[in-house]
Amino acid sequence: MADLRLIYVDDSGAENTGWIVFGWLDCTHEAWRVCLRDLLEMRKELYRAHGVPVSEELHTTKYVSGRTRIAPHAPANTNWKDLGRAVAARCLETLRDCSHISTGAAYRHTEARGKAYAQEKAATYTALVQRWDRNLAGRSEVGLVNMDGDGTDPTYFAAHRALTLNTRHLIEDPFFHDSRRSQLIQMADLVAWTTYAHLNKHAGNQFAHTWYEDYLLSSDANGGPFEI
């Protein structure tokens, strides 16, 4: 019986910069409990150290910029940027140190804007799905893709259904989750954002310029973000 691999993916990038980024983490179904336990223990630690509730959604773009007060009962003089970045670094350490988790990232840079940018994003995801499927076949595994969202974007379904049924190793359409209720999706969001900060370096994200090398490179099965 083929091993089942669980893939948790989210996107980053921005139309105005032309970057399209998908970041993910994955584990086998047998290791899933261990991976989730490590993340929950880390979340309990964040609550004890900083007052960040385990149920609080960690949406990277918001909390690393200090726009989200992720610790409801923190002192009035809390520096929310410093807290958010400390939390992100601790999450990344957990991903790095969990031996059962692999990470990855794929990107495309385009001059397209508007509808053409959306088409480029859909094409990027389609190419990524095809690569995942080939890799799973090479390892004699099957996989399930999990992502943030409500399933209203048809391009994600189309990418999966374009695979040849008789030979495909990605099972079904992607499974969509409310990120507020999924620790693993929140970590995929962090992987995607960290990759984007690594690729699109500017003064506003200087604090994160080395995060990919410091925390994710060692667990990246591809040796770093790849263009697709």
Side-chain angles (χ1 to χ4, degrees):
M1 182 178 178
D3 284 336
L4 172 63
R5 186 162 293 274
L6 303 173
I7 302 168
Y8 294 84
V9 61
D10 206 351
D11 65 281
S12 190
E15 180 182 333
N16 66 319
T17 66
W19 286 101
I20 300 165
V21 180
F22 287 95
W24 66 90
L25 56 92
D26 64 80
C27 63
T28 65
H29 72 286
E30 293 178 336
W32 176 82
R33 294 182 185 87
V34 176
C35 297
L36 182 56
R37 175 59 62 193
D38 283 355
L39 294 178
L40 291 172
E41 290 299 324
M42 176 269 296
R43 292 301 306 263
K44 291 176 184 177
E45 177 187 323
L46 291 178
Y47 179 71
R48 292 191 296 268
H50 304 293
V52 181
V54 174
S55 59
E56 182 73 25
E57 181 183 12
L58 297 181
H59 191 276
T60 312
T61 300
K62 294 180 180 179
Y63 73 88
V64 298
S65 64
R67 299 204 307 267
T68 298
R69 298 191 172 191
I70 54 177
H73 304 295
N77 63 347
T78 297
N79 185 314
W80 293 101
K81 287 184 179 180
D82 288 348
L83 176 59
R85 294 164 191 181
V87 166
R90 184 68 191 93
C91 291
L92 288 166
E93 286 175 355
T94 301
L95 294 179
R96 179 194 64 194
D97 295 341
C98 181
S99 60
H100 298 287
I101 288 177
S102 295
T103 63
Y107 67 90
R108 183 175 296 187
H109 191 258
T110 178
E111 299 300 321
R113 298 294 184 266
K115 183 179 180 180
Y117 176 85
Q119 292 171 339
E120 282 285 334
K121 186 174 180 180
T124 304
Y125 183 72
T126 297
L128 179 58
V129 164
Q130 293 169 350
R131 179 167 174 141
W132 280 336
D133 198 60
R134 290 194 301 271
N135 289 345
L136 289 165
R139 297 193 300 263
S140 298
E141 295 178 332
V142 293
L144 288 172
V145 174
N146 301 267
M147 62 172 54
D148 182 22
D150 57 9
T152 56
D153 186 341
T155 61
Y156 294 115
F157 294 97
H160 286 242
R161 295 182 183 188
L163 296 171
T164 302
L165 182 59
N166 286 344
T167 58
R168 64 182 285 184
H169 285 248
L170 277 177
I171 298 172
E172 276 288 355
D173 298 324
F175 290 84
F176 292 93
H177 302 268
D178 183 341
S179 61
R180 293 173 297 176
R181 296 180 173 86
S182 174
Q183 301 292 340
L184 288 155
I185 293 294
Q186 290 174 40
M187 293 303 105
D189 171 71
L190 178 58
V191 172
W193 187 94
T194 300
T195 304
Y196 182 41
H198 167 75
L199 295 169
N200 184 41
K201 293 182 172 69
H202 56 78
N205 64 15
Q206 186 174 5
F207 64 91
H209 283 183
T210 66
W211 278 7
Y212 199 94
E213 293 94 335
D214 293 344
Y215 300 112
L216 295 178
L217 185 59
S218 61
S219 63
D220 191 324
N222 301 294
F226 58 88
E227 187 173 8
I228 197 168

